[in-house]
Amino acid sequence: MGKKILLSGVKPTGRVHIGNYFGAMKQFVDFQDDYESRIMIADYHALTTVQDASVLKQDILDLVASYLAIGLDPNRVIIFQQSAVAEHLELAWIFNCLTTMPYLARAHAYKDALAKNKEVNVGVFTYPLLMAADILIYDPDVVPVGQDQKQHVEIARDVAEKFNRLFGEAFKLPEPFIPEDVKTVTGLDGQKMSKSYGNTIPLFANEKDLKRLVMTIVTDSKGETEPKNPEECHVFALHKLFSQVDLPELKRRYVEGKIGYRESKEILAHNMNQYLKPMREKYESLLSRPEEIKTVLAAGSERAQVIARAKLERVRELVGVKL
Ligand code: AMP
């Protein structure tokens, strides 16, 4: 039996942060030997919010460099650009025609945008259907994502079921993969780490910026000798990701009132830097070779297109537009 298939992606909307890494991207690397993986640069999704060509171009290159720097191997994994595979859009149109407005109006991302009085473009509204197409066109078994994307994978499953029922079996129903301990990585203010909240720690921040950002993590006002509950501390939440070896000792010092927040943050900044430095160096070196990045992306996109084209042929036949 062949390997199971994995599909996921990230939007090129600014520098990736440690929430993206632990919530999703690290799983791409951990699973690259066990699954046949297809990892996307979701640039048409980014277009719902980015309206500056030079920014988007650079963000696309940065994201490919990020994928390579964290250890994705383009010989084992298809790294591709969503916009280079136009079949996604064609399939998304077919899904538009299967889905009702009230159903899509229940999507969290759309409701959040409305609640914040943002001007909601049609792309934001139909985003889940383009994402359903991104996923379903590659027949994945598993889609590793953070908790905030769980609903989108569920929408993809609903759409797949509806299509299969109406037109005949075409799509596999994918499962989201969301590890419990990293389903929502918190940011500097204790909310979900998110570019739109301005509370992120960029994955490739330099040592000085890492330290500066870590020192701004919000804590309560307990003094150095007061006992503290590590489970309520946003600094400790990040120690769980970066300070594995020191964790029992840190926990003991928190509970016994033997560590202040300043020292805890200093230890965290040090451990983060140790952890991230090798990836950061690789990232910086890759960014100085944009042609190499473009070559990787073009080769991956070509491979993705072959798969997507075959799937769409079958779909066109099933819906009745292929004569
Ligand atoms: P994006 O492309 O920005 O939507 O995010 C890429 C991936 O990172 C998605 O799978 C998200 O669910 C995941 N992600 C983003 N922020 C976090 C976070 N704070 N904690 C865990 N996963 C996250």
Side-chain angles (χ1 to χ4, degrees):
M1 213 175 80
K3 283 184 187 172
K4 289 196 167 176
I5 299 171
L6 177 153
L7 179 288
S8 195
V10 175
K11 277 181 302 194
T13 47
R15 305 166 75 192
V16 297
H17 54 71
I18 60 176
N20 299 133
Y21 178 68
F22 284 100
M25 295 166 72
K26 184 169 181 293
Q27 279 67 262
F28 307 168
V29 182
D30 292 346
F31 291 158
Q32 66 181 335
D33 287 326
D34 301 329
Y35 287 84
E36 225 179 84
S37 297
R38 287 126 201 206
I39 302 295
M40 181 174 75
I41 311 282
D43 54 354
Y44 270 156
H45 284 298
L47 208 54
T48 59
T49 53
V50 184
Q51 275 137 8
D52 182 324
S54 59
V55 169
L56 186 57
K57 272 183 197 176
Q58 190 57 49
D59 282 347
I60 292 169
L61 294 177
D62 283 2
L63 182 53
V64 184
S66 306
Y67 282 152
L68 299 174
I70 63 170
L72 277 185
D73 173 1
N75 295 316
R76 282 181 281 172
V77 173
I78 300 181
I79 298 175
F80 73 99
Q81 195 175 357
Q82 178 189 31
S83 64
V85 188
E87 283 80 359
H88 291 217
L89 297 169
E90 203 172 330
L91 184 58
W93 174 256
I94 294 171
F95 291 164
N96 281 343
C97 301
L98 289 185
T99 310
T100 67
M101 302 269 290
Y103 175 85
L104 265 199
R106 291 201 293 271
H108 300 315
Y110 169 67
K111 287 204 299 198
D112 286 354
L114 275 190
K116 288 185 182 131
N117 280 327
K118 287 192 187 157
E119 196 176 277
V120 183
N121 59 48
V122 176
V124 170
F125 185 67
T126 59
Y127 190 113
L129 295 180
L130 179 55
M131 183 160 157
D134 300 331
I135 295 173
L136 298 175
I137 207 163
Y138 296 103
D139 279 325
D141 298 280
V142 57
V143 183
V145 284
Q147 176 73 17
D148 58 352
Q149 291 290 337
K150 183 169 185 248
Q151 190 193 34
H152 286 152
V153 182
E154 284 162 1
I155 292 175
R157 288 173 61 94
D158 284 351
V159 171
E161 260 179 339
K162 187 160 186 190
F163 185 100
N164 290 348
R165 183 158 37 82
L166 288 174
F167 296 109
E169 279 299 313
F171 298 111
K172 221 190 255 179
L173 303 191
E175 292 288 345
F177 177 79
I178 306 174
E180 187 57 31
D181 53 338
V182 286
K183 66 180 186 185
T184 306
V185 176
T186 51
L188 301 174
D189 56 0
Q191 291 191 82
K192 180 187 93 162
M193 187 176 287
S194 166
K195 288 166 217 164
S196 53
Y197 299 158
N199 65 357
T200 65
I201 303 179
L203 187 62
F204 303 115
N206 64 37
E207 183 171 4
K208 205 165 131 240
D209 288 345
L210 269 183
K211 174 122 196 237
R212 184 178 52 77
L213 287 167
V214 167
M215 296 320 277
T216 68
I217 297 174
V218 174
T219 61
D220 60 31
S221 54
K222 288 204 176 84
E224 200 178 323
T225 54
E226 283 181 78
K228 302 171 184 69
N229 181 352
E231 297 310 321
E232 287 172 2
C233 174
H234 307 320
V235 184
F236 196 84
L238 294 176
H239 274 306
K240 286 183 180 167
L241 302 174
F242 291 101
S243 310
Q244 282 302 331
V245 188
D246 305 335
L247 211 56
E249 173 68 2
L250 281 165
K251 193 168 189 169
R252 185 187 64 73
R253 293 183 65 196
Y254 261 74
V255 174
E256 293 177 5
K258 298 225 165 74
I259 189 167
Y261 289 124
R262 163 171 281 277
E263 188 191 348
S264 179
K265 288 175 179 180
E266 279 164 356
I267 296 171
L268 176 63
H270 172 80
N271 289 349
M272 282 178 91
N273 189 54
Q274 292 294 105
Y275 188 110
L276 299 174
K277 194 172 169 219
M279 293 197 274
R280 178 170 71 229
E281 286 171 355
K282 205 166 157 199
Y283 171 76
E284 282 164 3
S285 138
L286 279 158
L287 276 189
S288 65
R289 308 194 303 274
E291 290 314 313
E292 200 176 309
I293 298 177
K294 287 184 200 165
T295 306
V296 165
L297 196 54
S301 300
E302 222 169 275
R303 289 167 68 197
Q305 205 186 30
V306 172
I307 303 167
R309 196 180 292 146
K311 187 68 170 185
L312 202 71
E313 272 306 285
R314 164 98 180 120
V315 169
R316 285 162 60 85
E317 216 170 275
L318 286 170
V319 299
V321 294
K322 189 172 171 199
L323 301 181

